[in-house]
Each structure stands twice: as structure tokens, then as C-alpha cells.
């Protein structure tokens, strides 16, 4: 297949429109017949009809009922071309598919006896020849015929019209979606599935039928997803005034699925791991993730479905906006401060690394080789931060006004990021011309902070300077429009009045600096003492803040800042400073010593009986290996590991008694509860156990072992298993063997077992992973297996980058093996090589050798090729 780049600048509207399409599926065991009848209009004089299609067997093509002769059309590897058509006509195309052999999991495929579809981004072209682009929106009528006994459940988008028994052991379902949509939102499911049902009454009094499907025997683990759906529907009505618009809403859980979930109109298809949950099989993190992702896909009904994107370069228009909405939902369902910390941790760990790596790209990219590669953290998480900054600038009330305007202007349309920005800015009297640079400039901006205080004048001067490092194809950047929430504190931690004419106050009453120039100075008057600066509150912009604050100020803010995000941020800064020092000492061969002041501050946090447990758990985290890989000039896995281990051991040794007290205080508290407060109790308890395990004390390992065997929920069991898996203790093999024997028949849970072994820091980790790729429970065609074992290992900075192993060669072999079957999954593994430029010369040479070996494979997919080529 040709591997050429496509460019946003080349966008041209479609030359044909589609009034409606009728899809008729006849599903058999060895093939599926698809007849697509489209009512079409040619909108450009003389245009030839070019329909996208890949890996299809064309049976026939007709225009207005007349079959076309062979010389009236042309088939290429990726298109069906009809040079001449009437201005208005009905196009009928019949194709044959073999879903049972479709390992790419795009288009129509078969997963464990269930037929299902995944059409985003360009999977519909694997079903029939069509204008597979998001700006072609039409209404869909669908019929599905299949064996009644094998496939009693036949689902598609929209409203159920009827089901017919055909009298020959087969039946047929009729569906109609009244809302026009692009083909990437088409969905079909046919199988024998269990179901749970409920209803939701909308704000206008309509009753919506809710259904969640899973394989028989697992449907009872869908009730948390159902409750999450109902919460989402209620929240969207109350927060944005958005009501659901169909009579039915369905979710189907599928084991073989490339992504997390898909928002197909009225028929969401989910990866099983993001639906199935009960206390015995799912952790607290799983419960939270399911609630968040169910909300995300539901919120897409308006931000993505009712208003969709003009072209794939605008992907963040729906994904960034909907991530923002699901983060706001999660904040309202849990603790807003803790949720913000979690969201920013994910952003920094993944997206900041993406911005600093070889595949950095803008939130609205300018070009690509494979559209599937757009589904990145930059599009999603950084895109969400761009939306959040808009809300920060105009305030919540102003943002709601802008969202109302957006739907008023664009309901039923395929639009652009410019359209969204205009809808938020104009009703609020704002000019977002400069702000829109966040969409087209890549990289993470850096803001340098300089402070000065004049005692005689009672003036505090804050100087800010912004820059942005060069990124691929963007060596120079124009200044961003950066909203910085801030405050000044007195010596007791009280907020001081901000007497500065440049300070903005949004409709939420939040104090803002809107940094627009490369350098700006802000003078605050009427101060009787030197204030302590609290800046970038709530992480109000996705930037790197370079602020040489004194240790006294950092410790002060860690203890007294009124902004919970910044309290934790100061703890992270202090921890990072200490780790930098330990890494440097390790590389010099010097003894690793810990600053007592830092230990005392962490000890005070541990002893603080009034601090919320979930927040305390966040305060006690030290910077991760992934953060160190970004902040250090050289990725030295051994130095990172020794520095973090030394620090964690010192914290545990200093606070052994107090950590044990925390453990025993919260151990056994409401073991089956799904309340977020109880989640916080368990998070703190299990973090205390993780710290204590650093002591390698037989008493502690016995406690961990006891927790494993007596656990009444998966959170406690997995915590204990991961601790034991990372040891050489006598308990390790027994726990791993027991877990496998208990869950070997559950495809979702067994992935936790793979991850527990892939993420250890044991020197044998690579050999364990190699062995697990040959384990009967591992299936290299199953994305979840691949992600839980191989992608987890690729993110294991200590062992993936171990100079004493052949990890790079092994990993490259697996990427090539998977790429031949499923390019999307292989591309997700390529991110493990994003840190190549930070490796020492020897390791860099080893990594580049493997990357070049992969790129040299002629059949390598454009998905993987695009990502790997950038690294070299």
C-alpha cells in the first residue's frame, strides 16, 4: 500500500453528498454479504466518484439499478473509481467480507464468536466502498440477517424498528438512526450475549431504555457501568443542559478491541476491561476508570456525534473536548483536587514525553502518514488542557454560555477547532486569535519565573518569560496565550490582596495572569512583608514552570498553600530536587545521602491526622521513573532505580511505626465498598505497604503475603501480588501460581497477572516476559494481552533500558510480529523508543540499530513506520 503523507492544507470538501444509506448485512459462518444502497448527489460538475475501500471483494456495482460494466469503473488497492455519474442517483454496491480472518480489528470482525465493528478512524472502508471521511454525514437504515440460535442478539445504531423470524432458522433485525452521522460512527454487533437492563428518565420526561451486553455469565459484572451511565446522563443535563436524543442506549463489551471504547451513536462498543467490574475482579482504579470512560463515550453523543469533525486533523475538537468533560465529571464524582492531581500526573507522564520526543505534533496536526496515529495523548489530554484554559479564561459561567452557542451554531455539522474557539470567545467578548496557537504549535512551553521584593516601597515584582523548545518541523514558536492562576500568601499562609492592574478575575472569582508576551512584569503594591508566591494553581496551563524558589518557600507552600494541587506540586519539586542530587551522586560513585529536612516534611505529612487520606496518598508519592526520564539529560535506568529506592527506603525506615499504624487503621475497612472516600482509605493503606516493602523485612513480607491470601477485594489482592512479584521471597511463586489458577479463564483479570510480572524491577524481568509471551494464556492477536504484557514492559524504564539485556531486540521482534497482524496495536508499542535521544551513546546505538531493522522491513505498516522513522 502506498505510504504518502496527507496534509491539512490540502483539505478539499467532498464532491458528492449522501442523502441516506441502507445497509443490508447477511452474516454466514464463512463470509458476510453487504449490500449498500446510497442516495447520492454530485455537487461538483464533472467530478469522478472516488470511493474508499480496502481488502474488499466486490461482487457488483449498480447505478439506478443498472449494473456497471467492467470498463465503467476501476478498482485500485484503496479505491473504487467511477468516472461518470448522473447528478442525482442511487448507488448500489455488493461486497463480500471474511470477518473471521480480520486480525486488524477494524471494520467488521469476529471476536470469540461475536461479530462487531470498529470504524473509527477508517474502518468503514473495510465493510463497503464509501466516502469514508467525517464530513460526509448521512442517515443510516440497517438490516442484519443471521442464524437465530448462534446470533440471537442483532444490534446497530439508532432505534429498533422490528425483528423478523425468517422461518429457516434465521432472523432479521431492522434498525434506523434518525440522526445524520459520518460513517466512522456506524456500528453493528451480532452474537449470543447476556444483558442487563435499566431505564433513565430525561429532564423532559422521556424514558430511555439502557442495555449493557457482555458474554454470558459476566453480565452481572456490568452493573457498575450501568450506574456510571445513569450518573453521566444526569450530570450532562445538569451541567451543560444536554439531553439524550434516542429511545435506546446500548453498551457492548468485547474482549478483542484495539482501543478503550467507541462512541458509535446509541451503540457504544467497549473493551471488556472497561465494562466488567465487581469487588472480586476489579480494583478501585478499574472502578474509577470504568466510570470515567463510560462517561466519556456518553458525552460524545453531543461532543463528537451531534457535532462532529470536518476532517481527522480536527480530532481534538471531539476528543480533547470530551476528555475535558469526563475529567470535570470525575472531579464532581470524587475529590476535585485529587482528580486534578491524577489528570496532571497522566499528562506529564505521557503527553509531556510525547511533546519532548521525536513524534511531537500540535493538538491540530498539519500532516500524517496514518490517520490512526492521531489518537495520541497530545490530541486527547493536551487537547483537554486547551479546553480547560478556555474555561479558566472566561470562567465556568462564560464557558457554559460558549458551549450553548457552539451547539446552537453547529448541531448536525462537521466543524473545525476554529469554529469551537469562536463559539467560546465571541459570546464572552474575548479574542482568541493568539490563544489558537495552542492548536497549531507543538511542544511544551517553558515559563521562567523571577521575583523581587522592595521593602521600602512595599512592592513585589514578578517577571515571567516564556519560550518553547524546537520540535520536529517547528524550530521557532510564537508566544502563547498562557493563563496562570495565582495568589500571594503572607507568613501565616493567608491570601493577600492582589493590587496589580494586570490581574484578571474570571467569572469564578479566580485571579489570573494572562501571559501573552515573551517577557512581562507584574508589580504588586501595598505589601507590608515579602509575600510567598503561589503560581500555576490547579495547573492552569500545560507548561513547564522554571522557578528557582527557595527551599524555605517550597516547604512553606507544601505545608500551607490553599491550593491543594500546588501543595502536592511543591512536594514533587522537593522530591525531584533530591532525586537529581542522588542520581548525580550515584553516577559519581559517591554515597547516597538523604536531606533530613525532606524526610521530616514527609514524616509530618504521614503524621497529619487531619489530612484527607486520598490527598495524603498523593502527597506521599515521589516523582516516577517516567518523570525522571523527562527531567534528566541522560536516561540512566540504574541510577534512577537506585535513587528512588534509596529515597523510598529512607522514608520507610524513618516512618516504619507510623506507616504500620496507617496500614492497620485502614486495613479491612469496608472491603467491598465502591465509595470514593473508601477508595482513598485503601490507596493510603496500600501505599503505606508499598513503602514498608522497601525494607525487605520478613515481617512486612509476611503482612503482604497475608493480605494476598485474605484479601476481600481485588485492590488489596493486586497490591500484595505486585509487591510479592517484585521480590525473591518464598511467597512470590505461590501467590502468582494461585492468582493464575483462580483467574486463568477470565481474559480481563488475567491481564493483571501479566502486568504484575512485566512491571517488576527484578533483574529477571525480561526473561519472565519472554516466557510469558509463550504462555497458554497469552494471545498475541489480543490487544489487551499485548498491552498488559508488552506495552507494560516497554514502559518499565528500569528493565526495558537495562544495558545488560537484549530488551530492544526482543521488543523489535514483537513489534514486527504484531505489525503484520494489527498495525494499530504495533504502533502503540513503538512509543517505548521515544526516549532514544536521552540514552547514553552505547544504549542509543543499540536502540537505533533495532529501529533501523524494523524500518527496513518493506511490509512494515505506515502506522509503525511513521512513528519509528522519526526516532532516527
Amino acid at each position: 500500500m502506498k505510504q504518502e503523507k496527507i496534509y491539512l492544507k490540502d483539505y478539499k470538501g467532498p464532491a458528492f453528498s449522501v442523502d441516506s444509506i441502507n445497509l443490508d448485512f447477511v452474516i454466514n459462518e464463512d463470509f458476510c454479504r453487504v449490500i449498500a444502497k446510497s442516495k447520492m448527489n454530485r455537487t461538483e460538475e464533472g467530478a469522478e466518484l472516488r470511493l474508499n475501500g480496502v481488502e474488499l471483494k466486490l461482487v457488483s456495482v449498480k447505478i439506478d439499478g443498472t449494473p456497471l460494466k467492467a470498463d465503467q469503473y476501476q478498482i485500485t488497492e484503496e479505491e473504487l473509481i467511477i468516472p461518470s455519474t448522473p447528478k442525482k442517483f442511487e448507488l448500489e454496491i455488493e461486497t463480500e467480507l471474511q470477518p473471521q480472518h480480520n486480525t486488524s480489528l477494524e471494520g467488521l470482525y469476529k471476536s470469540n464468536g461475536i461479530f462487531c465493528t470498529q470504524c473509527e478512524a477508517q474502518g468503514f472502508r473495510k465493510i463497503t466502498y464509501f466516502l469514508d471521511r467525517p464530513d460526509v454525514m448521512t442517515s443510516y437504515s440497517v438490516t442484519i440477517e443471521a442464524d437465530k440460535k448462534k446470533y440471537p442478539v442483532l444490534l446497530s445504531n439508532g432505534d429498533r424498528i422490528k425483528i423478523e423470524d425468517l422461518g429457516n432458522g434465521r432472523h432479521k433485525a431492522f434498525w434506523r438512526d434518525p440522526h445524520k452521522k459520518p460513517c466512522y460512527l456506524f456500528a453493528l454487533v451480532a452474537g449470543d450475549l447476556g444483558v442487563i437492563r435499566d431505564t433513565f428518565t430525561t429532564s423532559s420526561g422521556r424514558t430511555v431504555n439502557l442495555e449493557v451486553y457482555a458474554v454470558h455469565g459476566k453480565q452481572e459484572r456490568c452493573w457498575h457501568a450501568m450506574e456510571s451511565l445513569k450518573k453521566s446522563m444526569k450530570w450532562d443535563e445538569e451541567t451543560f443542559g444536554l439531553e439524550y436524543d434516542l429511545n435506546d442506549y446500548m453498551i457492548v463489551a468485547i474482549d478483542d478491541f484495539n482501543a478503550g471504547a467507541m462512541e458509535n451513536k446509541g451503540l457504544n462498543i467497549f473493551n471488556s476491561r472497561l465494562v466488567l467490574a465487581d469487588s472480586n475482579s476489579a480494583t478501585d482504579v478499574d472502578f474509577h476508570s470504568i466510570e470515567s470512560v463510560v462517561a466519556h463515550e456518553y458525552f460524545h453523543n453531543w461532543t463528537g456525534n451531534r457535532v462532529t469533525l470536518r476532517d481527522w486533523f480536527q480530532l481534538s475538537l471531539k476528543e480533547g473536548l470530551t476528555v475535558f468533560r469526563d475529567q470535570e465529571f470525575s472531579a464532581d464524582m470524587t475529590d476535585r483536587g485529587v482528580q486534578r492531581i491524577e489528570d496532571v500526573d497522566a499528562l506529564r507522564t505521557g503527553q509531556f514525553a510525547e511533546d519532548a520526543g521525536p513524534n511531537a505534533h500540535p493538538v491540530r496536526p498539519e500532516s500524517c502518514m496514518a490517520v490512526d496515529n492521531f489518537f495520541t495523548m497530545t490530541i486527547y489530554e493536551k487537547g483537554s488542557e486547551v479546553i480547560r484554559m478556555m474555561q479558566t479564561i472566561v470562567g465556568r459561567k462564560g464557558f457554559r454560555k460558549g458551549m450553548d452557542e457552539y451547539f446552537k451554531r453547529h448541531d448536525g455539522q462537521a466543524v473545525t477547532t476554529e469554529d469551537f474557539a469562536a463559539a467560546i470567545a465571541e459570546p464572552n467578548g474575548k479574542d482568541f486569535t493568539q490563544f489558537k496557537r495552542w492548536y497549531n504549535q507543538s511542544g511544551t512551553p517553558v515559563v521562567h519565573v523571577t521575583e523581587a521584593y522592595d521593602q521600602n516601597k512595599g512592592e513585589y515584582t514578578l517577571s515571567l518569560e516564556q519560550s518553547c523548545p524546537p520540535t520536529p518541523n517547528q524550530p521557532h514558536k510564537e508566544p502563547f496565550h498562557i493563563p496562570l492562576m495565582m495568589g500571594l500568601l503572607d507568613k501565616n499562609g493567608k491570601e493577600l490582596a492582589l493590587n496589580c492592574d494586570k490581574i484578571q478575575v474570571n467569572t469564578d472569582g479566580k485571579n489570573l495572569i494572562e501571559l501573552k508576551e515573551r517577557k512581562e512584569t507584574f508589580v504588586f503594591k501595598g505589601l507590608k512583608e515579602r509575600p510567598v508566591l503561589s503560581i500555576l494553581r490547579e495547573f492552569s496551563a500545560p507548561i513547564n514552570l522554571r522557578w528557582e524558589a527557595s527551599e524555605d518557600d517550597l516547604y512553606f507552600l507544601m505545608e500551607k498553600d490553599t491550593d491543594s494541587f500546588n501543595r502536592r506540586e511543591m512536594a514533587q519539586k522537593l522530591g525531584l530536587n533530591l532525586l537529581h542530587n542522588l542520581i548525580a551522586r550515584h553516577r559519581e560513585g559517591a554515597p547516597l545521602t538523604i536531606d533530613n529536612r525532606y524526610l521530616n516534611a514527609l514524616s509530618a505529612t504521614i503524621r497529619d491526622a487531619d489530612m484527607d487520606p486520598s490527598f495524603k496518598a498523593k502527597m506521599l508519592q515521589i516523582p516516577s521513573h517516567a518523570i525522571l526520564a523527562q527531567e534528566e539529560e541522560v536516561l540512566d535506568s540504574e541510577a534512577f532505580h537506585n535513587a528512588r529506592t534509596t529515597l523510598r527506603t529512607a522514608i520507610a525506615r524513618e516512618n516504619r511505626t507510623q506507616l504500620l499504624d496507617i496500614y492497620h487503621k485502614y486495613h479491612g475497612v469496608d472491603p467491598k465498598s465502591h465509595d470514593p472516600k473508601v477508595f482513598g482509605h485503601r490507596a493510603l493503606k496500600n501505599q503505606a505497604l508499598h513503602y514498608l516493602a522497601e525494607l525487605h523485612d520478613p515481617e512486612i513480607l509476611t503482612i503482604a503475603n497475608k493480605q494476598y491470601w485474605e484479601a476481600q477485594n481485588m485492590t488489596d489482592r493486586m497490591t500484595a501480588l505486585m509487591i510479592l512479584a517484585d521480590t525473591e521471597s518464598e511467597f512470590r511463586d505461590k501467590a502468582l501460581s494461585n492468582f493464575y489458577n483462580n483467574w486463568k479463564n477470565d481474559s480481563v483479570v488475567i491481564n493483571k497477572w501479566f502486568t504484575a510480572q512485566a512491571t517488576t524491577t527484578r533483574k529477571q524481568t525480561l526473561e519472565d516476559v519472554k516466557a510469558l509471551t509463550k504462555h497458554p494464556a497469552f494471545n498475541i492477536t489480543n490487544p489487551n494481552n499485548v498491552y498488559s504484557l508488552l506495552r507494560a514492559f516497554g514502559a518499565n524504564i528500569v528493565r526495558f533500558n537495562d544495558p545488560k539485556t537484549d530488551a530492544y531486540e526482543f521488543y523489535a521482534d514483537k513489534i514486527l510480529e504484531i505489525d503484520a497482524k494489527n498495525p494499530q496495536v504495533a504502533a502503540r508499542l513503538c512509543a517505548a523508543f521515544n526516549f532514544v535521544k536521552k540514552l547514553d551513546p552505547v544504549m542509543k546505538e543499540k536502540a537505533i540499530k533495532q529501529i533501523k531493522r524494523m524500518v527496513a522491513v518493506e511490509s512494515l505498516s505506515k502506522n509503525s513506520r511513521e512513528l519509528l522513522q522519526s526516532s532516527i
Side-chain angles (χ1 to χ4, degrees):
M1 223 174 262
K2 59 184 179 183
Q3 298 188 351
E4 298 175 357
K5 278 197 172 186
I6 57 174
Y7 294 88
L8 171 61
K9 63 181 175 61
D10 294 333
Y11 171 80
K12 184 182 177 183
F16 291 79
S17 64
V18 184
D19 290 339
S20 64
I21 184 170
N22 191 313
L23 291 168
D24 182 31
F25 289 82
V26 179
I27 296 175
N28 301 292
E29 291 306 296
D30 52 350
F31 75 97
C32 175
R33 187 199 70 185
V34 182
I35 297 178
K37 293 182 180 179
S38 304
K39 293 185 177 179
M40 305 191 71
N41 298 287
R42 178 166 42 77
T43 56
E44 182 183 312
E45 188 65 33
E48 60 181 8
L49 179 60
R50 304 181 74 96
L51 302 173
N52 307 106
V54 178
E55 298 170 14
L56 295 173
K57 178 183 177 182
L58 179 66
V59 177
S60 67
V61 54
K62 301 176 183 177
I63 288 183
D64 293 330
T66 302
L68 296 191
K69 298 176 182 177
D71 62 354
Q72 292 179 297
Y73 64 88
Q74 177 188 356
I75 296 178
T76 71
E77 201 171 10
E78 296 183 335
E79 288 183 313
L80 168 62
I81 304 167
I82 304 175
S84 177
T85 70
K87 186 172 179 60
K88 190 177 182 68
F89 59 99
E90 181 181 81
L91 177 69
E92 179 180 325
I93 294 176
E94 181 175 348
T95 53
E96 275 190 14
L97 320 175
Q98 292 185 311
Q100 70 275 18
H101 299 313
N102 182 358
T103 61
S104 71
L105 311 187
E106 293 180 282
L108 178 65
Y109 65 94
K110 196 173 186 180
S111 166
N112 297 318
I114 301 164
F115 289 94
C116 71
T117 56
Q118 170 56 25
C119 293
E120 187 180 34
Q122 296 179 331
F124 193 76
R125 63 188 61 189
K126 290 190 173 184
I127 294 173
T128 187
Y129 289 100
F130 195 67
L131 295 167
D132 190 353
R133 47 189 292 167
D135 56 355
V136 174
M137 302 174 71
T138 190
S139 58
Y140 285 69
S141 296
V142 179
T143 60
I144 312 165
E145 179 193 321
D147 184 283
K148 185 176 180 179
K149 185 175 182 180
K150 289 183 178 179
Y151 310 105
V153 174
L154 303 177
L155 307 176
S156 192
N157 310 84
D159 295 322
R160 289 179 175 90
I161 306 301
K162 63 179 178 177
I163 297 179
E164 281 184 0
D165 190 326
L166 301 180
N168 56 354
R170 296 174 69 81
H171 64 152
K172 192 171 190 176
F174 296 76
W175 291 83
R176 183 175 182 278
D177 186 353
H179 300 281
K180 287 197 170 188
K181 63 176 182 281
C183 64
Y184 81 84
L185 290 171
F186 169 75
L188 175 152
V189 172
D192 187 2
L193 295 157
V195 63
I196 62 168
R197 294 183 171 90
D198 204 340
T199 61
F200 179 81
T201 303
T202 70
S203 55
S204 66
R206 289 190 307 105
T207 298
V208 179
N209 301 309
L210 310 178
E211 299 173 347
V212 184
Y213 292 84
V215 296
H216 286 290
K218 293 184 180 179
Q219 65 266 36
E220 292 305 313
R221 283 159 60 184
C222 296
W223 282 109
H224 177 66
M226 179 69 82
E227 291 305 311
S228 300
L229 175 59
K230 291 164 69 176
K231 286 181 185 178
S232 308
M233 298 175 84
K234 185 173 187 290
W235 183 88
D236 216 14
E237 289 182 346
E238 293 175 348
T239 307
F240 289 105
L242 299 174
E243 185 177 327
Y244 187 59
D245 53 2
L246 288 169
N247 298 323
D248 299 280
Y249 193 94
M250 299 163 287
I251 292 173
V252 179
I254 296 293
D255 280 351
D256 296 305
F257 201 74
N258 285 338
M262 181 57 206
E263 70 270 16
N264 316 299
K265 183 76 179 177
L267 176 56
N268 292 179
I269 299 178
F270 271 63
N271 193 312
S272 295
R273 66 181 172 83
L274 289 167
V275 176
L276 305 179
D278 58 23
S279 295
N280 293 327
S281 63
T283 65
D284 295 344
V285 171
D286 294 331
F287 276 99
H288 183 61
S289 297
I290 288 168
E291 183 177 79
S292 173
V293 176
V294 167
H296 180 97
E297 305 309 332
Y298 173 74
F299 297 153
H300 265 312
N301 187 63
W302 282 89
T303 50
N305 296 3
R306 287 285 290 255
V307 184
T308 196
L309 57 158
R310 187 195 72 178
D311 56 77
W312 288 111
F313 296 97
Q314 318 293 331
L315 181 59
S316 192
L317 175 72
K318 74 180 184 77
E319 294 301 350
L321 176 55
T322 306
V323 168
F324 167 76
R325 278 159 42 75
D326 82 53
Q327 289 177 351
E328 285 291 284
F329 166 79
S330 294
D332 284 344
M333 297 301 109
T334 56
D335 178 279
R336 182 163 285 274
V338 171
Q339 182 64 40
R340 187 63 184 138
I341 289 168
E342 291 179 354
D343 292 337
V344 175
D345 281 355
L347 178 81
R348 282 175 162 162
T349 299
Q351 196 281 319
F352 276 27
E354 203 166 84
D355 257 352
N359 291 295
H361 57 274
V363 171
R364 189 193 61 193
E366 298 295 325
S367 66
C368 76
M369 188 179 289
V371 167
D372 298 323
N373 288 348
F374 278 160
F375 293 79
T376 63
M377 291 197 75
T378 297
I379 302 296
Y380 282 65
E381 274 70 19
K382 187 174 182 179
S384 170
E385 295 300 314
V386 172
I387 304 296
R388 185 175 298 278
M389 285 189 286
M390 291 185 189
Q391 176 174 274
T392 298
I393 291 169
V394 304
R396 290 176 182 275
K397 292 178 183 176
F399 188 74
R400 170 63 193 272
K401 186 195 300 183
M403 288 288 283
D404 289 347
E405 182 68 17
Y406 177 60
F407 296 120
K408 179 182 175 183
R409 292 182 182 185
H410 300 299
D411 189 10
Q413 298 177 13
V415 298
T416 66
T417 55
E418 285 91 346
D419 294 321
F420 180 80
I424 301 299
E426 290 167 11
N428 289 288
K430 290 287 184 180
D431 181 355
F432 277 173
T433 302
Q434 181 179 352
F435 182 84
K436 287 187 287 188
R437 289 174 186 164
W438 283 103
Y439 280 114
N440 55 43
Q441 292 189 156
S442 57
T444 304
V446 177
V447 175
H448 288 269
V449 178
T450 308
E451 304 172 83
Y453 177 64
D454 188 323
Q455 178 72 52
N456 295 327
K457 292 184 178 180
E459 291 182 353
Y460 168 80
T461 301
L462 175 64
S463 298
L464 302 174
E465 182 176 355
Q466 65 162 299
S467 60
C468 189
T471 50
N473 303 313
Q474 290 192 347
H476 304 292
K477 314 293 172 70
E478 295 299 314
F480 289 84
H481 178 176
I482 302 175
L484 298 167
M485 288 174 54
M486 66 156 296
L488 296 176
L489 305 178
D490 70 12
K491 61 184 178 183
N492 297 313
K494 291 183 179 179
E495 297 280 341
L496 293 168
L498 301 182
N499 296 317
C500 174
D501 56 8
K502 290 186 177 181
I503 292 293
Q504 306 291 320
V505 181
N506 69 13
T507 57
D508 303 326
K510 304 283 189 179
N511 295 309
L512 295 179
I513 285 172
E514 293 190 41
L515 178 63
K516 297 182 179 181
E517 305 299 326
R518 293 196 187 276
K519 295 182 182 180
E520 285 194 68
T521 299
F522 303 82
V523 179
F524 299 82
K525 300 179 179 181
L527 297 167
K528 296 179 181 179
E529 62 182 53
R530 176 190 170 275
V532 178
L533 173 66
S534 173
I535 194 166
L536 196 59
R537 287 179 161 182
E538 297 181 20
F539 200 69
S540 56
I543 63 170
N544 274 316
L545 194 67
R546 298 302 182 213
W547 175 29
E548 298 302 322
S550 69
E551 278 205 345
D552 287 343
D553 281 357
L554 294 179
Y555 280 110
F556 174 87
L557 291 167
M558 178 181 168
E559 181 184 358
K560 296 184 181 296
D561 201 334
T562 55
D563 180 69
S564 59
F565 176 84
N566 262 8
R567 284 190 68 184
R568 199 274 192 150
E569 182 73 352
M570 298 310 110
Q572 288 285 292
K573 283 182 181 294
L574 288 161
L576 193 57
N577 290 344
L578 185 53
L579 288 169
H580 282 321
N581 179 262
L582 291 173
I583 290 167
R585 294 181 67 84
H586 169 89
R587 301 186 77 179
E588 294 166 1
L592 303 190
T593 56
I594 308 297
D595 180 0
N596 283 331
R597 189 175 183 184
Y598 179 82
L599 285 180
N600 291 338
L602 263 287
S603 298
T605 300
I606 290 169
R607 291 174 172 81
D608 188 342
D610 297 325
M611 188 178 290
D612 175 75
S614 58
F615 180 61
K616 183 183 289 191
K618 296 298 179 189
M619 287 290 288
L620 294 180
Q621 290 174 336
I622 67 170
S624 65
H625 285 119
I627 294 297
L628 291 177
Q630 292 180 46
E631 294 292 331
E632 289 286 323
E633 288 188 13
V634 178
L635 194 163
D636 185 333
S637 60
E638 185 180 1
F640 291 3
H641 180 49
N642 285 351
R644 289 190 84 253
T645 301
T646 299
L647 179 53
R648 286 177 56 81
T649 303
I651 294 168
R653 188 178 296 118
E654 183 76 13
N655 297 281
R656 187 180 194 279
T657 300
Q658 290 73 29
L659 290 168
L660 276 169
D661 287 345
I662 287 173
Y663 179 82
H664 291 302
K665 177 180 179 180
Y666 293 116
H667 187 58
V669 175
D670 298 323
K672 300 287 186 181
S673 174
H674 302 153
D675 187 301
K677 290 188 180 298
V678 177
F679 285 3
H681 296 162
R682 276 200 285 268
L684 181 57
K685 175 199 74 172
N686 285 319
Q687 189 173 85
L689 187 59
H690 270 292
Y691 266 112
L692 289 164
E694 298 284 2
L695 300 175
H696 300 288
D697 183 327
E699 178 190 352
I700 303 302
L701 289 178
T702 299
I703 290 173
N705 187 57
K706 188 170 186 286
Q707 175 168 308
Y708 173 82
W709 292 98
E710 297 179 1
Q712 297 181 59
N713 57 68
M714 184 57 81
T715 303
D716 287 347
R717 180 166 284 109
M718 276 306 300
T719 297
L721 183 68
M722 294 187 84
I723 288 171
L724 297 174
D726 207 8
T727 70
E728 304 300 332
S729 79
E730 59 183 306
F731 305 127
R732 181 182 189 274
D733 290 345
K734 289 181 181 179
L736 285 169
S737 177
N738 173 265
F739 192 95
Y740 174 73
N741 288 329
N742 284 339
W743 296 104
K744 61 186 176 183
N745 295 320
D746 192 304
S747 58
V748 171
V749 181
I750 204 64
N751 287 316
K752 301 179 190 302
W753 183 74
F754 285 129
T755 300
Q757 296 171 82
T759 54
T760 71
T761 57
R762 298 166 73 246
K763 292 180 179 179
Q764 304 96 312
T765 301
L766 174 59
E767 297 310 311
D768 291 342
V769 170
K770 286 181 177 180
L772 288 168
T773 61
K774 300 173 183 176
H775 194 281
F778 182 81
N779 179 356
I780 203 162
T781 65
N782 176 263
N784 286 345
N785 282 175
V786 172
Y787 299 153
S788 61
L789 181 64
L790 294 175
R791 187 160 69 167
F793 177 68
N796 183 343
I797 285 175
V798 174
R799 291 302 159 216
F800 182 71
N801 299 288
D802 185 343
K804 299 182 179 68
T805 71
D806 63 346
Y808 297 160
E809 182 178 359
F810 161 76
Y811 210 73
D813 287 343
K814 292 303 167 190
I815 288 175
L816 291 173
E817 182 179 355
I818 295 164
D819 187 79
K821 299 178 176 69
N822 190 326
Q824 283 191 43
V825 173
R828 285 177 166 89
L829 299 185
C830 295
F833 289 103
N834 279 354
F835 285 118
V836 167
K837 71 178 184 180
K838 287 214 166 189
L839 297 171
D840 67 47
V842 174
M843 292 297 287
K844 184 183 294 185
E845 184 180 354
K846 289 174 68 173
I848 290 177
K849 178 182 178 182
Q850 297 306 320
I851 294 169
K852 286 182 175 179
R853 177 167 71 91
M854 289 186 281
V855 171
V857 174
E858 189 174 340
S859 60
L860 188 72
S861 72
K862 58 185 177 182
N863 305 65
S864 296
R865 184 177 302 280
E866 181 173 26
L867 299 178
L868 291 170
Q869 277 181 337
S870 303
S871 300
I872 53 173

